[in-house]
Amino acid sequence: MKIIDLSATIYHNMEVYPGDPQVRINIVHTYQTHEWELRELSMGTHTGTHVDAFSHMHVGGQTIDKIPLEKFCGKAWVANPQEIFPKQCGLVFREEANIDLLEKIIAAQPPFVAGVITADLERELLRQEIITYTDLVNLDLLPVDQSFLFYGFPLKIKDGDGSPVRVVAILE
């Protein structure tokens, strides 16, 4: 078994989408002052590698805490836009996927779509209740023409529109 970390590292003052909250990580307690370390985090729900709830771009859409956990994991495949997509399998795009692929993606019925996707495609996938993951790293390490297990669980944020995630691919 091999585990590939697909998550970007979150750090103080990292680059964020224009207009999103800046990332602030402050040390609150140290070993010297309290005999343990503790950090305070301040960031947006779409910081770094993250998952989007249906409510992110659609009024009345399901929030992150209400989406069944089964939707955040499963068999996945690196999707080549020129090839047929496997049915009911998560799709991971290494290269930019745009709105032109919407019907093809919907026909494949994936539980989630991850990787490099445009905002207009993301909006329509969320409208179709297909979960989206963005800002992943190490996509070049994923196998081609071979399925793998994908896990990207969100924090359980009440009424959340999304969440930072630790995404991993597990290869057998």
Side-chain angles (χ1 to χ4, degrees), residues 12-35:
H12 186 74
N13 283 337
M14 68 185 280
E15 188 174 330
V16 296
Y17 188 81
D20 281 3
Q22 289 297 310
V23 176
R24 303 281 181 240
I25 302 175
N26 297 308
I27 297 174
V28 176
H29 299 305
T30 66
Y31 295 116
Q32 293 75 21
T33 61
H34 290 83
E35 298 181 353

PDB file of all heavy atoms in Angstrom, residues 12-35:
ATOM      1  N   HIS A  12       1.036  30.386   7.889  1.00  0.00           N
ATOM      2  CA  HIS A  12       0.762  31.802   8.172  1.00  0.00           C
ATOM      3  C   HIS A  12       1.025  32.660   6.929  1.00  0.00           C
ATOM      4  O   HIS A  12       2.060  32.534   6.286  1.00  0.00           O
ATOM      5  CB  HIS A  12       1.646  32.251   9.338  1.00  0.00           C
ATOM      6  CG  HIS A  12       1.375  33.638   9.815  1.00  0.00           C
ATOM      7  ND1 HIS A  12       0.260  33.949  10.561  1.00  0.00           N
ATOM      8  CD2 HIS A  12       2.063  34.790   9.649  1.00  0.00           C
ATOM      9  CE1 HIS A  12       0.275  35.241  10.844  1.00  0.00           C
ATOM     10  NE2 HIS A  12       1.361  35.771  10.301  1.00  0.00           N
ATOM     11  N   ASN A  13       0.068  33.502   6.600  1.00  0.00           N
ATOM     12  CA  ASN A  13       0.162  34.445   5.478  1.00  0.00           C
ATOM     13  C   ASN A  13       0.312  33.778   4.116  1.00  0.00           C
ATOM     14  O   ASN A  13       0.840  34.391   3.182  1.00  0.00           O
ATOM     15  CB  ASN A  13       1.306  35.451   5.690  1.00  0.00           C
ATOM     16  CG  ASN A  13       0.925  36.523   6.688  1.00  0.00           C
ATOM     17  OD1 ASN A  13      -0.245  36.805   6.907  1.00  0.00           O
ATOM     18  ND2 ASN A  13       1.924  37.103   7.321  1.00  0.00           N
ATOM     19  N   MET A  14      -0.138  32.552   3.977  1.00  0.00           N
ATOM     20  CA  MET A  14      -0.059  31.891   2.670  1.00  0.00           C
ATOM     21  C   MET A  14      -0.958  32.618   1.681  1.00  0.00           C
ATOM     22  O   MET A  14      -1.872  33.359   2.073  1.00  0.00           O
ATOM     23  CB  MET A  14      -0.443  30.410   2.773  1.00  0.00           C
ATOM     24  CG  MET A  14      -1.898  30.157   3.107  1.00  0.00           C
ATOM     25  SD  MET A  14      -2.290  28.418   3.376  1.00  0.00           S
ATOM     26  CE  MET A  14      -2.440  27.828   1.703  1.00  0.00           C
ATOM     27  N   GLU A  15      -0.708  32.402   0.404  1.00  0.00           N
ATOM     28  CA  GLU A  15      -1.525  33.024  -0.631  1.00  0.00           C
ATOM     29  C   GLU A  15      -2.931  32.421  -0.604  1.00  0.00           C
ATOM     30  O   GLU A  15      -3.095  31.206  -0.465  1.00  0.00           O
ATOM     31  CB  GLU A  15      -0.887  32.789  -1.998  1.00  0.00           C
ATOM     32  CG  GLU A  15      -1.546  33.557  -3.101  1.00  0.00           C
ATOM     33  CD  GLU A  15      -0.811  33.417  -4.430  1.00  0.00           C
ATOM     34  OE1 GLU A  15       0.414  33.242  -4.429  1.00  0.00           O
ATOM     35  OE2 GLU A  15      -1.497  33.480  -5.472  1.00  0.00           O
ATOM     36  N   VAL A  16      -3.931  33.274  -0.731  1.00  0.00           N
ATOM     37  CA  VAL A  16      -5.324  32.835  -0.765  1.00  0.00           C
ATOM     38  C   VAL A  16      -6.013  33.467  -1.963  1.00  0.00           C
ATOM     39  O   VAL A  16      -5.494  34.408  -2.576  1.00  0.00           O
ATOM     40  CB  VAL A  16      -6.089  33.201   0.535  1.00  0.00           C
ATOM     41  CG1 VAL A  16      -5.498  32.480   1.738  1.00  0.00           C
ATOM     42  CG2 VAL A  16      -6.105  34.701   0.774  1.00  0.00           C
ATOM     43  N   TYR A  17      -7.194  32.971  -2.289  1.00  0.00           N
ATOM     44  CA  TYR A  17      -7.987  33.528  -3.373  1.00  0.00           C
ATOM     45  C   TYR A  17      -8.263  34.999  -3.053  1.00  0.00           C
ATOM     46  O   TYR A  17      -8.597  35.340  -1.900  1.00  0.00           O
ATOM     47  CB  TYR A  17      -9.296  32.737  -3.499  1.00  0.00           C
ATOM     48  CG  TYR A  17     -10.115  33.097  -4.701  1.00  0.00           C
ATOM     49  CD1 TYR A  17      -9.820  32.569  -5.959  1.00  0.00           C
ATOM     50  CD2 TYR A  17     -11.197  33.968  -4.585  1.00  0.00           C
ATOM     51  CE1 TYR A  17     -10.571  32.904  -7.072  1.00  0.00           C
ATOM     52  CE2 TYR A  17     -11.958  34.307  -5.693  1.00  0.00           C
ATOM     53  CZ  TYR A  17     -11.638  33.770  -6.934  1.00  0.00           C
ATOM     54  OH  TYR A  17     -12.388  34.115  -8.029  1.00  0.00           O
ATOM     55  N   PRO A  18      -8.142  35.885  -4.041  1.00  0.00           N
ATOM     56  CA  PRO A  18      -8.365  37.318  -3.780  1.00  0.00           C
ATOM     57  C   PRO A  18      -9.709  37.575  -3.096  1.00  0.00           C
ATOM     58  O   PRO A  18     -10.752  37.096  -3.538  1.00  0.00           O
ATOM     59  CB  PRO A  18      -8.330  37.937  -5.181  1.00  0.00           C
ATOM     60  CG  PRO A  18      -7.477  37.003  -5.986  1.00  0.00           C
ATOM     61  CD  PRO A  18      -7.789  35.624  -5.443  1.00  0.00           C
ATOM     62  N   GLY A  19      -9.653  38.286  -1.982  1.00  0.00           N
ATOM     63  CA  GLY A  19     -10.855  38.621  -1.222  1.00  0.00           C
ATOM     64  C   GLY A  19     -11.146  37.660  -0.087  1.00  0.00           C
ATOM     65  O   GLY A  19     -11.954  37.971   0.792  1.00  0.00           O
ATOM     66  N   ASP A  20     -10.514  36.472  -0.094  1.00  0.00           N
ATOM     67  CA  ASP A  20     -10.713  35.516   1.004  1.00  0.00           C
ATOM     68  C   ASP A  20      -9.923  35.975   2.231  1.00  0.00           C
ATOM     69  O   ASP A  20      -8.946  36.725   2.103  1.00  0.00           O
ATOM     70  CB  ASP A  20     -10.255  34.114   0.599  1.00  0.00           C
ATOM     71  CG  ASP A  20     -11.277  33.389  -0.270  1.00  0.00           C
ATOM     72  OD1 ASP A  20     -12.316  33.993  -0.612  1.00  0.00           O
ATOM     73  OD2 ASP A  20     -11.028  32.214  -0.592  1.00  0.00           O
ATOM     74  N   PRO A  21     -10.322  35.496   3.414  1.00  0.00           N
ATOM     75  CA  PRO A  21      -9.577  35.874   4.626  1.00  0.00           C
ATOM     76  C   PRO A  21      -8.130  35.386   4.574  1.00  0.00           C
ATOM     77  O   PRO A  21      -7.861  34.283   4.083  1.00  0.00           O
ATOM     78  CB  PRO A  21     -10.330  35.147   5.743  1.00  0.00           C
ATOM     79  CG  PRO A  21     -11.653  34.791   5.180  1.00  0.00           C
ATOM     80  CD  PRO A  21     -11.464  34.635   3.701  1.00  0.00           C
ATOM     81  N   GLN A  22      -7.237  36.217   5.074  1.00  0.00           N
ATOM     82  CA  GLN A  22      -5.830  35.828   5.168  1.00  0.00           C
ATOM     83  C   GLN A  22      -5.677  34.725   6.220  1.00  0.00           C
ATOM     84  O   GLN A  22      -6.452  34.650   7.171  1.00  0.00           O
ATOM     85  CB  GLN A  22      -4.968  37.035   5.558  1.00  0.00           C
ATOM     86  CG  GLN A  22      -4.842  38.065   4.462  1.00  0.00           C
ATOM     87  CD  GLN A  22      -4.149  37.494   3.227  1.00  0.00           C
ATOM     88  OE1 GLN A  22      -3.093  36.894   3.308  1.00  0.00           O
ATOM     89  NE2 GLN A  22      -4.792  37.650   2.081  1.00  0.00           N
ATOM     90  N   VAL A  23      -4.668  33.898   6.035  1.00  0.00           N
ATOM     91  CA  VAL A  23      -4.389  32.835   6.994  1.00  0.00           C
ATOM     92  C   VAL A  23      -3.529  33.407   8.112  1.00  0.00           C
ATOM     93  O   VAL A  23      -2.480  34.009   7.852  1.00  0.00           O
ATOM     94  CB  VAL A  23      -3.667  31.650   6.317  1.00  0.00           C
ATOM     95  CG1 VAL A  23      -3.300  30.585   7.341  1.00  0.00           C
ATOM     96  CG2 VAL A  23      -4.540  31.061   5.214  1.00  0.00           C
ATOM     97  N   ARG A  24      -4.001  33.217   9.318  1.00  0.00           N
ATOM     98  CA  ARG A  24      -3.260  33.662  10.499  1.00  0.00           C
ATOM     99  C   ARG A  24      -3.076  32.445  11.411  1.00  0.00           C
ATOM    100  O   ARG A  24      -4.050  31.791  11.783  1.00  0.00           O
ATOM    101  CB  ARG A  24      -4.024  34.740  11.267  1.00  0.00           C
ATOM    102  CG  ARG A  24      -4.365  35.953  10.437  1.00  0.00           C
ATOM    103  CD  ARG A  24      -3.167  36.883  10.296  1.00  0.00           C
ATOM    104  NE  ARG A  24      -3.541  38.047   9.524  1.00  0.00           N
ATOM    105  CZ  ARG A  24      -2.968  38.394   8.379  1.00  0.00           C
ATOM    106  NH1 ARG A  24      -2.002  37.666   7.884  1.00  0.00           N
ATOM    107  NH2 ARG A  24      -3.354  39.455   7.728  1.00  0.00           N
ATOM    108  N   ILE A  25      -1.836  32.149  11.729  1.00  0.00           N
ATOM    109  CA  ILE A  25      -1.527  31.080  12.682  1.00  0.00           C
ATOM    110  C   ILE A  25      -0.631  31.699  13.744  1.00  0.00           C
ATOM    111  O   ILE A  25       0.494  32.112  13.454  1.00  0.00           O
ATOM    112  CB  ILE A  25      -0.825  29.889  11.997  1.00  0.00           C
ATOM    113  CG1 ILE A  25      -1.708  29.344  10.864  1.00  0.00           C
ATOM    114  CG2 ILE A  25      -0.522  28.804  13.030  1.00  0.00           C
ATOM    115  CD1 ILE A  25      -1.053  28.242  10.052  1.00  0.00           C
ATOM    116  N   ASN A  26      -1.160  31.783  14.940  1.00  0.00           N
ATOM    117  CA  ASN A  26      -0.427  32.413  16.038  1.00  0.00           C
ATOM    118  C   ASN A  26      -0.177  31.403  17.148  1.00  0.00           C
ATOM    119  O   ASN A  26      -1.064  30.620  17.499  1.00  0.00           O
ATOM    120  CB  ASN A  26      -1.223  33.599  16.604  1.00  0.00           C
ATOM    121  CG  ASN A  26      -1.419  34.688  15.572  1.00  0.00           C
ATOM    122  OD1 ASN A  26      -0.470  35.145  14.955  1.00  0.00           O
ATOM    123  ND2 ASN A  26      -2.665  35.076  15.350  1.00  0.00           N
ATOM    124  N   ILE A  27       1.011  31.453  17.695  1.00  0.00           N
ATOM    125  CA  ILE A  27       1.338  30.594  18.842  1.00  0.00           C
ATOM    126  C   ILE A  27       0.743  31.237  20.083  1.00  0.00           C
ATOM    127  O   ILE A  27       1.026  32.398  20.398  1.00  0.00           O
ATOM    128  CB  ILE A  27       2.858  30.422  18.980  1.00  0.00           C
ATOM    129  CG1 ILE A  27       3.397  29.706  17.735  1.00  0.00           C
ATOM    130  CG2 ILE A  27       3.195  29.645  20.250  1.00  0.00           C
ATOM    131  CD1 ILE A  27       4.906  29.601  17.677  1.00  0.00           C
ATOM    132  N   VAL A  28      -0.108  30.494  20.767  1.00  0.00           N
ATOM    133  CA  VAL A  28      -0.786  30.999  21.962  1.00  0.00           C
ATOM    134  C   VAL A  28      -0.062  30.515  23.222  1.00  0.00           C
ATOM    135  O   VAL A  28       0.129  31.276  24.167  1.00  0.00           O
ATOM    136  CB  VAL A  28      -2.264  30.539  21.980  1.00  0.00           C
ATOM    137  CG1 VAL A  28      -2.963  30.974  23.250  1.00  0.00           C
ATOM    138  CG2 VAL A  28      -2.998  31.072  20.757  1.00  0.00           C
ATOM    139  N   HIS A  29       0.314  29.241  23.243  1.00  0.00           N
ATOM    140  CA  HIS A  29       1.037  28.660  24.380  1.00  0.00           C
ATOM    141  C   HIS A  29       2.304  28.003  23.867  1.00  0.00           C
ATOM    142  O   HIS A  29       2.326  27.436  22.767  1.00  0.00           O
ATOM    143  CB  HIS A  29       0.195  27.600  25.104  1.00  0.00           C
ATOM    144  CG  HIS A  29      -1.083  28.116  25.687  1.00  0.00           C
ATOM    145  ND1 HIS A  29      -1.137  29.179  26.567  1.00  0.00           N
ATOM    146  CD2 HIS A  29      -2.360  27.719  25.529  1.00  0.00           C
ATOM    147  CE1 HIS A  29      -2.393  29.402  26.918  1.00  0.00           C
ATOM    148  NE2 HIS A  29      -3.161  28.528  26.291  1.00  0.00           N
ATOM    149  N   THR A  30       3.338  28.034  24.672  1.00  0.00           N
ATOM    150  CA  THR A  30       4.595  27.369  24.335  1.00  0.00           C
ATOM    151  C   THR A  30       4.955  26.396  25.447  1.00  0.00           C
ATOM    152  O   THR A  30       4.400  26.448  26.552  1.00  0.00           O
ATOM    153  CB  THR A  30       5.745  28.385  24.175  1.00  0.00           C
ATOM    154  OG1 THR A  30       6.004  28.996  25.442  1.00  0.00           O
ATOM    155  CG2 THR A  30       5.421  29.444  23.131  1.00  0.00           C
ATOM    156  N   TYR A  31       5.910  25.534  25.173  1.00  0.00           N
ATOM    157  CA  TYR A  31       6.393  24.608  26.209  1.00  0.00           C
ATOM    158  C   TYR A  31       6.931  25.388  27.404  1.00  0.00           C
ATOM    159  O   TYR A  31       6.745  25.001  28.560  1.00  0.00           O
ATOM    160  CB  TYR A  31       7.497  23.703  25.656  1.00  0.00           C
ATOM    161  CG  TYR A  31       7.028  22.773  24.565  1.00  0.00           C
ATOM    162  CD1 TYR A  31       7.532  22.889  23.279  1.00  0.00           C
ATOM    163  CD2 TYR A  31       6.089  21.781  24.830  1.00  0.00           C
ATOM    164  CE1 TYR A  31       7.105  22.042  22.275  1.00  0.00           C
ATOM    165  CE2 TYR A  31       5.659  20.938  23.831  1.00  0.00           C
ATOM    166  CZ  TYR A  31       6.173  21.067  22.552  1.00  0.00           C
ATOM    167  OH  TYR A  31       5.745  20.229  21.557  1.00  0.00           O
ATOM    168  N   GLN A  32       7.582  26.504  27.112  1.00  0.00           N
ATOM    169  CA  GLN A  32       8.201  27.288  28.173  1.00  0.00           C
ATOM    170  C   GLN A  32       7.167  27.951  29.084  1.00  0.00           C
ATOM    171  O   GLN A  32       7.382  28.097  30.286  1.00  0.00           O
ATOM    172  CB  GLN A  32       9.120  28.369  27.571  1.00  0.00           C
ATOM    173  CG  GLN A  32      10.345  27.821  26.871  1.00  0.00           C
ATOM    174  CD  GLN A  32      10.041  27.212  25.498  1.00  0.00           C
ATOM    175  OE1 GLN A  32       9.028  27.505  24.882  1.00  0.00           O
ATOM    176  NE2 GLN A  32      10.927  26.330  25.044  1.00  0.00           N
ATOM    177  N   THR A  33       6.029  28.384  28.511  1.00  0.00           N
ATOM    178  CA  THR A  33       5.038  29.103  29.322  1.00  0.00           C
ATOM    179  C   THR A  33       3.940  28.209  29.890  1.00  0.00           C
ATOM    180  O   THR A  33       3.365  28.530  30.922  1.00  0.00           O
ATOM    181  CB  THR A  33       4.371  30.224  28.503  1.00  0.00           C
ATOM    182  OG1 THR A  33       3.690  29.640  27.381  1.00  0.00           O
ATOM    183  CG2 THR A  33       5.392  31.252  28.040  1.00  0.00           C
ATOM    184  N   HIS A  34       3.641  27.091  29.220  1.00  0.00           N
ATOM    185  CA  HIS A  34       2.516  26.262  29.654  1.00  0.00           C
ATOM    186  C   HIS A  34       2.805  24.755  29.647  1.00  0.00           C
ATOM    187  O   HIS A  34       1.905  23.965  29.913  1.00  0.00           O
ATOM    188  CB  HIS A  34       1.297  26.512  28.746  1.00  0.00           C
ATOM    189  CG  HIS A  34       0.685  27.845  28.936  1.00  0.00           C
ATOM    190  ND1 HIS A  34       1.157  28.982  28.321  1.00  0.00           N
ATOM    191  CD2 HIS A  34      -0.369  28.242  29.691  1.00  0.00           C
ATOM    192  CE1 HIS A  34       0.426  30.028  28.669  1.00  0.00           C
ATOM    193  NE2 HIS A  34      -0.507  29.610  29.499  1.00  0.00           N
ATOM    194  N   GLU A  35       3.984  24.377  29.259  1.00  0.00           N
ATOM    195  CA  GLU A  35       4.390  22.968  29.154  1.00  0.00           C
ATOM    196  C   GLU A  35       3.702  22.230  28.004  1.00  0.00           C
ATOM    197  O   GLU A  35       3.675  21.017  27.966  1.00  0.00           O
ATOM    198  CB  GLU A  35       4.181  22.217  30.480  1.00  0.00           C
ATOM    199  CG  GLU A  35       5.018  22.770  31.614  1.00  0.00           C
ATOM    200  CD  GLU A  35       4.842  22.021  32.907  1.00  0.00           C
ATOM    201  OE1 GLU A  35       3.967  21.140  33.006  1.00  0.00           O
ATOM    202  OE2 GLU A  35       5.593  22.323  33.863  1.00  0.00           O
TER     203      GLU A  35
END
